[in-house]
Amino acid sequence: MKNSFILSFNKLFFGALLLLVSVNIFGAFSEDALFLRTTKVFFIPALLILFFMKYKTLSLPFILFFLFSFLGDVSLAFFENEIFFKASSVFYFLSYMSLIGIALSKFRFFNIDKVVGTYLVVVFLINAYFLYTFYGILKAIVPDSFEVLLFGVKNLSLILLVFLAFGKYLANDTKLSILFLMVALCLVFSTILSYVSLYYVYSWSFVMLERIIYAIGIYLLLTYVMVENKSAITQNKPQDSYNSDNIFA
């Protein structure tokens, strides 16, 4: 009975993701800008409500991530003022820092093989260099220096997040590490697509794809929390079996 409830909950949770994606696709094909902007606001509340139907608690770093991400979504959806656009960048940056805090608490760089560690550092430096190059190009295009600064710190935090997630995956190839890496990559690709629509060319398909990847990232992060909770319960569960050598001890 318990297993059937878990199975039905997983189906319901995945069904909610499909519904959000379908609504987003409909908004893109309808080319209704207001409708498409507002749909993103419901991603986090809808999935969190379902999450709390089964899991009553959520740790503070995850709460901060969802709170700041939601505020970033709201700032972009209902306000077209330049101040709120900058505020959304600050909120997203704070949400990424929350995930970085989670990754740092479980990341042991010195436990990684030296070759893998060197590879990670090289990849991080290459990405940082490309970010610096693009930062210089954007600085020449965008007159607002504060907006460019926000672009730099937000994307640097994303690079650091992927670096930690990838390092965690290489050091410990588990379901949790894979999920966390996928969450980081979803955030990166959704951010890249949003920048393409904002600074290069606005396309309904790009906006739709950005929202879909973002929704998948939120879904995978909550799945990560569920798997982590399940693992913690399993580890804390008392052993029901006994070693035959110790029965008569």
Side-chain angles (χ1 to χ4, degrees):
M1 188 72 175
K2 185 177 179 180
N3 292 333
S4 62
F5 172 76
I6 294 174
L7 183 62
S8 61
F9 175 80
N10 291 337
K11 289 182 177 180
L12 178 64
F13 195 62
F14 183 69
L17 173 66
L18 292 180
L19 178 61
L20 292 173
V21 169
S22 301
V23 170
N24 186 76
I25 294 174
F26 172 78
F29 279 104
S30 66
E31 297 187 357
D32 188 334
L34 179 61
F35 180 80
L36 193 59
R37 286 204 310 268
T38 54
T39 53
K40 189 176 182 180
V41 177
F42 297 101
F43 288 173
I44 291 177
L47 293 176
L48 274 181
I49 289 173
L50 286 177
F51 174 84
F52 283 118
M53 287 174 58
K54 180 173 174 58
Y55 301 93
K56 307 303 180 183
T57 59
L58 191 64
S59 63
L60 181 60
F62 288 107
I63 292 175
L64 291 176
F65 169 79
F66 289 119
L67 175 62
F68 289 133
S69 295
F70 177 71
L71 291 175
D73 297 341
V74 171
S75 299
L76 287 179
F78 299 111
F79 305 100
E80 296 184 358
N81 191 294
E82 186 178 348
I83 296 177
F84 288 99
F85 174 76
K86 295 176 182 177
S88 69
S89 295
V90 174
F91 288 135
Y92 285 134
F93 167 72
L94 293 175
S95 69
Y96 302 153
M97 292 303 296
S98 301
L99 286 185
I100 288 173
I102 296 172
L104 280 174
S105 64
K106 301 177 182 180
F107 186 78
R108 301 293 181 267
F109 182 78
F110 294 104
N111 293 340
I112 300 177
D113 182 79
K114 291 182 179 180
V115 176
V116 175
T118 303
Y119 169 75
L120 284 173
V121 172
V122 171
V123 171
F124 176 80
L125 292 176
I126 291 174
N127 283 276
Y129 172 76
F130 281 119
L131 175 62
Y132 176 77
T133 303
F134 192 71
Y135 174 84
I137 297 173
L138 195 63
K139 192 175 181 179
I141 299 174
V142 180
D144 192 333
S145 59
F146 184 65
E147 181 180 342
V148 178
L149 177 63
L150 287 176
F151 168 85
V153 295
K154 187 171 75 169
N155 286 277
L156 184 61
S157 64
L158 276 175
I159 292 175
L160 180 58
L161 177 62
V162 174
F163 168 79
L164 294 172
F166 193 52
K168 182 181 177 183
Y169 165 72
L170 293 176
N172 189 16
D173 184 8
T174 62
K175 185 176 181 179
L176 282 172
S177 63
I178 294 173
L179 283 172
F180 197 84
L181 177 59
M182 291 175 67
V183 170
L185 292 176
C186 283
L187 293 176
V188 168
F189 287 124
S190 65
T191 302
I192 290 174
L193 287 171
S194 67
Y195 280 132
V196 169
S197 299
L198 182 64
Y199 293 112
Y200 183 61
V201 56
Y202 186 85
S203 171
W204 294 104
S205 59
F206 285 156
V207 175
M208 177 186 68
L209 189 58
E210 179 261 323
R211 302 297 167 82
I212 291 175
I213 295 175
Y214 180 76
I216 293 174
I218 299 299
Y219 170 84
L220 291 175
L221 184 59
L222 286 172
T223 303
Y224 172 91
V225 178
M226 294 177 193
V227 174
E228 190 176 47
N229 290 341
K230 185 178 179 181
S231 300
I233 293 173
T234 303
Q235 291 176 0
N236 295 330
K237 186 177 180 181
Q239 297 294 328
D240 295 329
S241 59
Y242 300 91
N243 192 327
S244 59
D245 295 335
N246 298 327
I247 292 179
F248 300 103

